[in-house]
Amino acid sequence: MNTTRILAVGITSLVCAFAATAQTYQWKNSQGQTVISDTPPPGNAKSARTVGANQPLQRGEVDSGKPSDGQDKVAAPKSTAEKDMDFKKRQQEAKEKAEKEAKEQAAAKDKQENCDRARRNLAALEANQPMATLDEKGERVVMDNSQREQEMERARRFMAESCK
């Protein structure tokens, strides 16, 4: 007998809880009568609003249960598959971002090394020490002053490009 009462009170509480969470709509029909219902108003309703909701509908607006283009979309709870897909998407984006950053760091490192080489090359050319180049046969040929000036100018241009 006592368990029956507890069970009845429990079922009644559940029914009341579900009824309390139901959305209620209020609108005026074409005859001017106020209608209150738990179903959304028809499209020809003169004015509509939700009763007990956070924000009432504006005059002439009808809540169809679907967000319109002008309203903020209310996200429905995501399924496990959708959550998993979002997680994998975030992982992929993070991986791509890390790869991009690694490439940018490698490029910056290469640029710095090229700049350092160009500075050393220019310093060696400006030191007026005897320098040689290789000809077509692979033999060493000592640079004269005009070749040295040309090489120094080329090194300065390269430094201007790579040391920015």
Side-chain angles (χ1 to χ4, degrees), residues 90-110:
R90 286 191 308 272
Q91 275 185 325
Q92 182 67 24
E93 289 171 351
K95 180 180 175 185
E96 290 172 357
K97 182 179 178 184
E99 289 173 353
K100 181 180 177 184
E101 288 176 356
K103 286 180 183 178
E104 288 174 355
Q105 287 177 351
K109 182 180 176 185
D110 288 344

Side-chain angles (χ1 to χ4, degrees), residues 104-122:
E104 288 174 355
Q105 287 177 351
K109 182 180 176 185
D110 288 344
K111 185 175 179 179
Q112 183 62 41
E113 287 176 0
N114 287 337
C115 180
D116 292 341
R117 280 190 203 114
R119 284 187 179 135
R120 286 192 303 267
N121 188 24
L122 183 61

Side-chain angles (χ1 to χ4, degrees), residues 67 72-78:
D72 291 338
K73 292 185 177 183
V74 177
K78 293 184 178 183

Side-chain angles (χ1 to χ4, degrees), residues 139-155:
E139 296 176 358
R140 293 178 54 165
V141 177
V142 177
M143 278 188 201
D144 61 5
N145 284 339
S146 65
Q147 288 176 331
R148 183 181 298 271
E149 289 296 324
Q150 288 175 352
E151 284 297 314
M152 286 185 346
E153 184 59 34
R154 190 174 67 86

Side-chain angles (χ1 to χ4, degrees), residues 129-141:
Q129 295 178 0
M131 294 190 83
T133 60
L134 299 177
D135 63 4
E136 303 85 37
K137 296 178 185 176
E139 296 176 358
R140 293 178 54 165
V141 177

Side-chain angles (χ1 to χ4, degrees), residues 24-28 33-39 49 51:
T24 307
Y25 301 92
Q26 179 179 352
W27 71 92
K28 293 208 182 256
Q33 296 175 329
T34 301
V35 178
I36 299 174
S37 175
D38 62 346
T39 59
R49 70 181 187 100
V51 179

